[in-house]
Amino acid sequence: MTGGARHLLTLLDNLDKTIYHPLVVTQRKSSLIDEVSDRGIEIIHLPLPDRLDLQDGQVLHYGIFEKVKSFFSLISYNNAIKKLIKDHNIDLVWTRNVKAVMFVGLASKFSGTPLIWDIGLEHESKGMVKVLHFFGLCLTSVVVTQGQSQHEQIFGNTLIRLFHNKLKNIGPGIDLGTIQNIHNLLTTVNISSRPFTILSVGIVGQRKNQMMLVKAIKQLASDYPDIKAIIIGPIGEENYYQEICTYISHHNLGNLIEFLGWRDDIPNFLVTADVFVMCSENEGVPRAMREALFAKLPVIGTKAGGIPDAVDHEKTGFLVALNDVDSLVSYLKFFIDNPEEVKIMGEAAYQLGKQKFSLEAWTENYQKLISSLV
């Protein structure tokens, strides 16, 4: 269950069911669809043609002949979506990334149905991606980002000038059950007898850039031999993970860095950590980072995607440039040497979380947006 899937579930859980009747169209079975089914929400399976059912931009690497065939497959799929919109009297379409916009955008446009493109993570507008973004922005009614800082980083000045009236920022909320669980754990946990602990959460791969944190630990190791870095998340790129393991082994860091794989009890680790670190190359506003704010953890994050929206630099944590290991080391040293600042910034982080990422505000803003479109 990725952050995008949980984002959708949170939205489905909190929409006013007396007003909204959600229907989820899916291309394949998944843990997300199992969760949707458990909620009693209607599901329609509409599989993609094989030549479109590819991941990580593989379609963009097709030859010209295959691209032409893919284009006609795309038209055919949009026609199927258009029929579905008509048959089920759909009032609004919601989708998550530019690839999905291509699957439903023409159907929405030609059926006169508003389309929300909700961006969590999106590639920067360069080359063919910029072309897709242009068409995506033409086809959508509103583009919702998790952080204001994402607009320029994703689309660039040219597309922003052309489509600024379609861009909207709605900070995603954290459900009250998770917040209450974190608060309950904070009142019971004893952290006086453990080493300074750095926590990072995310699928292990180049985009999450865990190597940056590992290199920082290597620089800190000689002066702070008792620190601990805990990295939680499934292995997304095996070669990348093995590269990190080789680096850890070569520099004898095995006693300082622990990979725990995927866990469904993240709050238990948030309340026993001292600082949360996110070194991503591209992001929305990660759920684990938002949860860290409610766990009263200062955050050190890169200036990528929506991360700057969750960090008030020098008040709730620090922002660093991508792959600026030296700055990351400097800020970690600051926290290790100044435990009172950890508490002060942690309290400020909690206030920031309440201000920007409350579930009530997110749900209210989203329902206002939907009402304005329908």
Side-chain angles (χ1 to χ4, degrees):
M1 289 290 290
T2 63
R6 295 190 185 280
H7 181 79
L8 173 58
L9 288 175
T10 303
L11 181 61
L12 292 174
D13 285 341
N14 290 279
L15 287 176
D16 186 342
K17 301 304 187 298
T18 66
I19 301 174
Y20 305 103
H21 175 70
L23 180 151
V24 174
V25 180
T26 179
Q27 294 135 15
R28 66 177 64 82
K29 293 185 177 182
S30 65
S31 56
L32 168 61
I33 297 307
D34 291 340
E35 292 275 357
V36 170
S37 178
D38 290 343
R39 286 159 168 77
I41 295 171
E42 186 178 357
I43 299 168
I44 293 178
H45 291 274
L46 190 62
L48 282 171
D50 289 342
R51 65 170 50 91
L52 296 179
D53 194 14
L54 300 172
Q55 303 297 320
D56 302 322
Q58 294 178 61
V59 173
L60 299 178
H61 301 296
Y62 276 160
I64 185 65
F65 183 63
E66 282 298 320
K67 282 181 179 176
V68 170
K69 289 197 294 185
S70 296
F71 174 75
F72 284 106
S73 294
L74 195 64
I75 298 297
S76 176
Y77 194 83
N78 270 271
N79 281 332
I81 293 290
K82 183 181 176 183
K83 183 177 185 303
L84 187 151
I85 289 173
K86 180 180 178 181
D87 291 346
H88 291 265
N89 296 314
I90 301 300
D91 296 297
L92 179 137
V93 177
W94 182 99
T95 193
R96 187 66 174 160
N97 54 45
V98 71
K99 179 180 177 181
V101 171
M102 295 301 109
F103 296 151
V104 301
L106 289 172
S108 298
K109 198 74 172 178
F110 289 113
S111 65
T113 308
L115 171 62
I116 294 177
W117 173 8
D118 184 302
I119 292 178
L121 171 71
E122 186 61 56
H123 294 293
E124 185 180 354
S125 286
K126 290 182 178 179
M128 189 62 187
V129 174
K130 188 169 185 176
V131 175
L132 293 177
H133 283 171
F134 173 79
F135 282 111
L137 288 163
C138 288
L139 295 171
T140 51
S141 306
V142 174
V143 177
V144 176
T145 57
Q146 296 184 351
Q148 185 71 33
S149 54
Q150 287 181 279
H151 293 171
E152 184 175 348
Q153 291 186 31
I154 293 173
F155 295 116
N157 293 330
T158 301
L159 291 180
I160 287 176
R161 282 197 301 271
L162 290 172
F163 298 101
H164 67 276
N165 59 317
K166 292 188 176 186
L167 301 176
K168 187 173 183 63
N169 167 234
I170 304 179
I174 294 293
D175 62 275
L176 297 177
T178 298
I179 295 172
Q180 187 60 54
N181 182 30
I182 291 172
H183 285 181
N184 292 341
L185 290 168
L186 283 172
T187 61
T188 60
V189 68
N190 179 11
I191 60 175
S192 59
S193 60
R194 54 123 184 95
F196 186 92
T197 302
I198 303 157
L199 179 65
S200 184
V201 179
I203 187 170
V204 179
Q206 182 61 58
R207 181 177 68 81
K208 292 290 187 179
N209 197 20
Q210 287 91 353
M211 181 64 88
M212 180 178 171
L213 174 58
V214 170
K215 289 181 178 179
I217 298 300
K218 186 251 182 183
Q219 290 192 33
L220 291 167
S222 58
D223 292 331
Y224 305 96
D226 295 328
I227 60 171
K228 188 76 171 180
I230 296 177
I231 300 175
I232 297 177
I235 308 303
E237 299 174 25
E238 183 63 35
N239 290 341
Y240 183 79
Y241 174 63
Q242 291 303 325
E243 180 185 348
I244 291 178
C245 290
T246 300
Y247 186 94
I248 290 173
S249 176
H250 179 72
H251 294 286
N252 299 312
L253 302 174
N255 61 324
L256 304 182
I257 302 171
E258 188 174 4
F259 281 86
L260 298 185
W262 176 251
R263 300 290 296 252
D264 59 4
D265 57 346
I266 301 299
N268 291 324
F269 295 92
L270 290 170
V271 299
T272 57
D274 293 284
V275 62
F276 187 91
V277 173
M278 182 66 73
C279 299
S280 300
E281 297 179 349
N282 192 4
E283 275 293 354
V285 181
R287 179 185 176 90
M289 177 178 284
R290 286 176 270 137
E291 291 178 349
L293 301 180
F294 286 100
K296 300 184 178 182
L297 283 184
V299 173
I300 303 176
T302 48
K303 300 173 183 177
I307 290 178
D309 286 73
V311 180
D312 190 347
H313 185 63
E314 297 183 342
K315 292 183 180 179
T316 69
F318 298 102
L319 291 169
V320 298
L322 183 62
N323 289 320
D324 186 355
V325 176
D326 290 341
S327 290
L328 176 57
V329 169
S330 176
Y331 291 137
L332 286 171
K333 281 184 177 181
F334 173 80
F335 283 131
I336 296 170
D337 294 337
N338 299 277
E340 70 283 358
E341 289 294 333
V342 174
K343 293 183 179 180
I344 293 171
M345 287 196 177
E347 288 291 340
Y350 175 67
Q351 297 302 323
L352 179 68
K354 288 200 301 180
Q355 173 192 341
K356 281 194 170 186
F357 303 112
S358 76
L359 185 65
E360 296 91 338
W362 180 57
T363 304
E364 181 181 351
N365 288 333
Y366 228 112
Q367 293 189 158
K368 285 181 179 177
L369 171 64
I370 293 172
S371 296
S372 71
L373 294 173
V374 177

mmCIF file of all heavy atoms in Angstrom, residues 272-294:
data_model
loop_
_atom_site.group_PDB
_atom_site.id
_atom_site.type_symbol
_atom_site.label_atom_id
_atom_site.label_comp_id
_atom_site.label_asym_id
_atom_site.label_seq_id
_atom_site.Cartn_x
_atom_site.Cartn_y
_atom_site.Cartn_z
ATOM 1 N N THR A 272 9.876 6.800 19.079
ATOM 2 C CA THR A 272 11.152 6.465 19.719
ATOM 3 C C THR A 272 12.350 7.041 18.963
ATOM 4 O O THR A 272 13.491 6.742 19.292
ATOM 5 C CB THR A 272 11.319 4.935 19.838
ATOM 6 O OG1 THR A 272 11.212 4.339 18.545
ATOM 7 C CG2 THR A 272 10.257 4.353 20.757
ATOM 8 N N ALA A 273 12.067 7.854 17.939
ATOM 9 C CA ALA A 273 13.153 8.496 17.184
ATOM 10 C C ALA A 273 13.379 9.911 17.691
ATOM 11 O O ALA A 273 12.558 10.482 18.410
ATOM 12 C CB ALA A 273 12.806 8.518 15.692
ATOM 13 N N ASP A 274 14.514 10.497 17.310
ATOM 14 C CA ASP A 274 14.842 11.881 17.665
ATOM 15 C C ASP A 274 14.640 12.833 16.506
ATOM 16 O O ASP A 274 14.332 14.012 16.713
ATOM 17 C CB ASP A 274 16.302 11.956 18.137
ATOM 18 C CG ASP A 274 16.529 11.229 19.443
ATOM 19 O OD1 ASP A 274 16.142 11.765 20.487
ATOM 20 O OD2 ASP A 274 17.079 10.112 19.410
ATOM 21 N N VAL A 275 14.833 12.333 15.297
ATOM 22 C CA VAL A 275 14.712 13.187 14.120
ATOM 23 C C VAL A 275 14.284 12.326 12.939
ATOM 24 O O VAL A 275 14.624 11.134 12.855
ATOM 25 C CB VAL A 275 16.046 13.911 13.821
ATOM 26 C CG1 VAL A 275 17.159 12.924 13.521
ATOM 27 C CG2 VAL A 275 15.898 14.904 12.668
ATOM 28 N N PHE A 276 13.503 12.932 12.035
ATOM 29 C CA PHE A 276 13.052 12.245 10.831
ATOM 30 C C PHE A 276 13.805 12.833 9.640
ATOM 31 O O PHE A 276 13.896 14.054 9.509
ATOM 32 C CB PHE A 276 11.550 12.437 10.645
ATOM 33 C CG PHE A 276 10.953 11.631 9.522
ATOM 34 C CD1 PHE A 276 10.449 10.367 9.752
ATOM 35 C CD2 PHE A 276 10.895 12.141 8.228
ATOM 36 C CE1 PHE A 276 9.887 9.619 8.723
ATOM 37 C CE2 PHE A 276 10.345 11.416 7.192
ATOM 38 C CZ PHE A 276 9.839 10.145 7.436
ATOM 39 N N VAL A 277 14.315 11.965 8.761
ATOM 40 C CA VAL A 277 15.106 12.421 7.612
ATOM 41 C C VAL A 277 14.497 11.897 6.323
ATOM 42 O O VAL A 277 14.160 10.715 6.210
ATOM 43 C CB VAL A 277 16.574 11.952 7.733
ATOM 44 C CG1 VAL A 277 17.348 12.280 6.456
ATOM 45 C CG2 VAL A 277 17.243 12.604 8.936
ATOM 46 N N MET A 278 14.336 12.779 5.344
ATOM 47 C CA MET A 278 13.821 12.410 4.026
ATOM 48 C C MET A 278 14.734 13.004 2.970
ATOM 49 O O MET A 278 14.810 14.221 2.812
ATOM 50 C CB MET A 278 12.392 12.920 3.851
ATOM 51 C CG MET A 278 11.735 12.547 2.528
ATOM 52 S SD MET A 278 11.457 10.775 2.329
ATOM 53 C CE MET A 278 10.088 10.498 3.460
ATOM 54 N N CYS A 279 15.457 12.138 2.250
ATOM 55 C CA CYS A 279 16.486 12.591 1.292
ATOM 56 C C CYS A 279 16.031 12.470 -0.165
ATOM 57 O O CYS A 279 16.863 12.422 -1.069
ATOM 58 C CB CYS A 279 17.767 11.777 1.483
ATOM 59 S SG CYS A 279 18.514 11.923 3.118
ATOM 60 N N SER A 280 14.751 12.452 -0.417
ATOM 61 C CA SER A 280 14.212 12.127 -1.739
ATOM 62 C C SER A 280 14.654 13.089 -2.833
ATOM 63 O O SER A 280 14.908 14.268 -2.592
ATOM 64 C CB SER A 280 12.687 12.113 -1.683
ATOM 65 O OG SER A 280 12.219 11.160 -0.771
ATOM 66 N N GLU A 281 14.697 12.554 -4.056
ATOM 67 C CA GLU A 281 14.967 13.356 -5.238
ATOM 68 C C GLU A 281 13.688 13.958 -5.810
ATOM 69 O O GLU A 281 13.727 14.952 -6.525
ATOM 70 C CB GLU A 281 15.646 12.489 -6.306
ATOM 71 C CG GLU A 281 17.016 11.956 -5.875
ATOM 72 C CD GLU A 281 17.645 11.081 -6.936
ATOM 73 O OE1 GLU A 281 16.941 10.724 -7.908
ATOM 74 O OE2 GLU A 281 18.828 10.752 -6.803
ATOM 75 N N ASN A 282 12.546 13.319 -5.528
ATOM 76 C CA ASN A 282 11.253 13.802 -6.003
ATOM 77 C C ASN A 282 10.188 13.285 -5.046
ATOM 78 O O ASN A 282 10.240 12.133 -4.621
ATOM 79 C CB ASN A 282 10.980 13.300 -7.429
ATOM 80 C CG ASN A 282 9.799 13.990 -8.072
ATOM 81 O OD1 ASN A 282 9.199 14.905 -7.495
ATOM 82 N ND2 ASN A 282 9.439 13.560 -9.278
ATOM 83 N N GLU A 283 9.217 14.131 -4.691
ATOM 84 C CA GLU A 283 8.228 13.755 -3.676
ATOM 85 C C GLU A 283 6.961 14.587 -3.811
ATOM 86 O O GLU A 283 6.955 15.633 -4.449
ATOM 87 C CB GLU A 283 8.784 13.987 -2.257
ATOM 88 C CG GLU A 283 9.619 12.857 -1.702
ATOM 89 C CD GLU A 283 8.821 11.586 -1.441
ATOM 90 O OE1 GLU A 283 7.573 11.592 -1.592
ATOM 91 O OE2 GLU A 283 9.446 10.573 -1.110
ATOM 92 N N GLY A 284 5.915 14.110 -3.143
ATOM 93 C CA GLY A 284 4.782 14.957 -2.808
ATOM 94 C C GLY A 284 5.074 15.487 -1.407
ATOM 95 O O GLY A 284 6.149 16.012 -1.135
ATOM 96 N N VAL A 285 4.096 15.338 -0.516
ATOM 97 C CA VAL A 285 4.359 15.542 0.908
ATOM 98 C C VAL A 285 4.164 14.171 1.550
ATOM 99 O O VAL A 285 3.029 13.769 1.810
ATOM 100 C CB VAL A 285 3.409 16.576 1.544
ATOM 101 C CG1 VAL A 285 3.753 16.770 3.013
ATOM 102 C CG2 VAL A 285 3.506 17.908 0.809
ATOM 103 N N PRO A 286 5.239 13.414 1.760
ATOM 104 C CA PRO A 286 5.112 12.013 2.175
ATOM 105 C C PRO A 286 4.284 11.848 3.442
ATOM 106 O O PRO A 286 4.402 12.633 4.385
ATOM 107 C CB PRO A 286 6.571 11.580 2.417
ATOM 108 C CG PRO A 286 7.390 12.559 1.638
ATOM 109 C CD PRO A 286 6.637 13.843 1.668
ATOM 110 N N ARG A 287 3.457 10.813 3.455
ATOM 111 C CA ARG A 287 2.602 10.551 4.605
ATOM 112 C C ARG A 287 3.430 10.364 5.872
ATOM 113 O O ARG A 287 3.087 10.900 6.932
ATOM 114 C CB ARG A 287 1.749 9.308 4.351
ATOM 115 C CG ARG A 287 0.839 8.948 5.528
ATOM 116 C CD ARG A 287 0.097 7.640 5.301
ATOM 117 N NE ARG A 287 -0.693 7.284 6.465
ATOM 118 C CZ ARG A 287 -1.956 7.651 6.665
ATOM 119 N NH1 ARG A 287 -2.566 8.406 5.775
ATOM 120 N NH2 ARG A 287 -2.607 7.274 7.753
ATOM 121 N N ALA A 288 4.517 9.592 5.772
ATOM 122 C CA ALA A 288 5.338 9.341 6.960
ATOM 123 C C ALA A 288 5.925 10.640 7.518
ATOM 124 O O ALA A 288 6.065 10.801 8.732
ATOM 125 C CB ALA A 288 6.460 8.354 6.631
ATOM 126 N N MET A 289 6.234 11.584 6.637
ATOM 127 C CA MET A 289 6.756 12.859 7.095
ATOM 128 C C MET A 289 5.675 13.648 7.825
ATOM 129 O O MET A 289 5.934 14.269 8.867
ATOM 130 C CB MET A 289 7.298 13.672 5.913
ATOM 131 C CG MET A 289 7.792 15.058 6.296
ATOM 132 S SD MET A 289 8.481 15.970 4.896
ATOM 133 C CE MET A 289 10.055 15.154 4.738
ATOM 134 N N ARG A 290 4.443 13.609 7.302
ATOM 135 C CA ARG A 290 3.344 14.288 7.987
ATOM 136 C C ARG A 290 3.085 13.654 9.349
ATOM 137 O O ARG A 290 2.837 14.347 10.336
ATOM 138 C CB ARG A 290 2.083 14.230 7.121
ATOM 139 C CG ARG A 290 2.136 15.166 5.916
ATOM 140 C CD ARG A 290 0.905 15.002 5.049
ATOM 141 N NE ARG A 290 1.074 13.987 4.030
ATOM 142 C CZ ARG A 290 0.169 13.084 3.716
ATOM 143 N NH1 ARG A 290 -0.982 13.039 4.362
ATOM 144 N NH2 ARG A 290 0.394 12.215 2.756
ATOM 145 N N GLU A 291 3.165 12.332 9.414
ATOM 146 C CA GLU A 291 2.995 11.650 10.696
ATOM 147 C C GLU A 291 4.111 12.028 11.662
ATOM 148 O O GLU A 291 3.890 12.139 12.876
ATOM 149 C CB GLU A 291 2.964 10.140 10.482
ATOM 150 C CG GLU A 291 1.724 9.655 9.750
ATOM 151 C CD GLU A 291 1.734 8.159 9.516
ATOM 152 O OE1 GLU A 291 2.789 7.522 9.730
ATOM 153 O OE2 GLU A 291 0.689 7.606 9.124
ATOM 154 N N ALA A 292 5.317 12.242 11.138
ATOM 155 C CA ALA A 292 6.439 12.637 11.984
ATOM 156 C C ALA A 292 6.165 13.968 12.679
ATOM 157 O O ALA A 292 6.556 14.176 13.832
ATOM 158 C CB ALA A 292 7.722 12.720 11.156
ATOM 159 N N LEU A 293 5.504 14.886 11.981
ATOM 160 C CA LEU A 293 5.162 16.169 12.594
ATOM 161 C C LEU A 293 4.268 15.960 13.806
ATOM 162 O O LEU A 293 4.475 16.571 14.862
ATOM 163 C CB LEU A 293 4.475 17.076 11.578
ATOM 164 C CG LEU A 293 5.254 17.432 10.302
ATOM 165 C CD1 LEU A 293 4.415 18.345 9.417
ATOM 166 C CD2 LEU A 293 6.586 18.093 10.623
ATOM 167 N N PHE A 294 3.274 15.091 13.670
ATOM 168 C CA PHE A 294 2.359 14.840 14.783
ATOM 169 C C PHE A 294 3.017 14.034 15.897
ATOM 170 O O PHE A 294 2.522 14.009 17.021
ATOM 171 C CB PHE A 294 1.101 14.134 14.274
ATOM 172 C CG PHE A 294 0.180 15.036 13.508
ATOM 173 C CD1 PHE A 294 0.162 15.039 12.128
ATOM 174 C CD2 PHE A 294 -0.664 15.915 14.175
ATOM 175 C CE1 PHE A 294 -0.680 15.881 11.419
ATOM 176 C CE2 PHE A 294 -1.514 16.769 13.480
ATOM 177 C CZ PHE A 294 -1.522 16.754 12.101
#
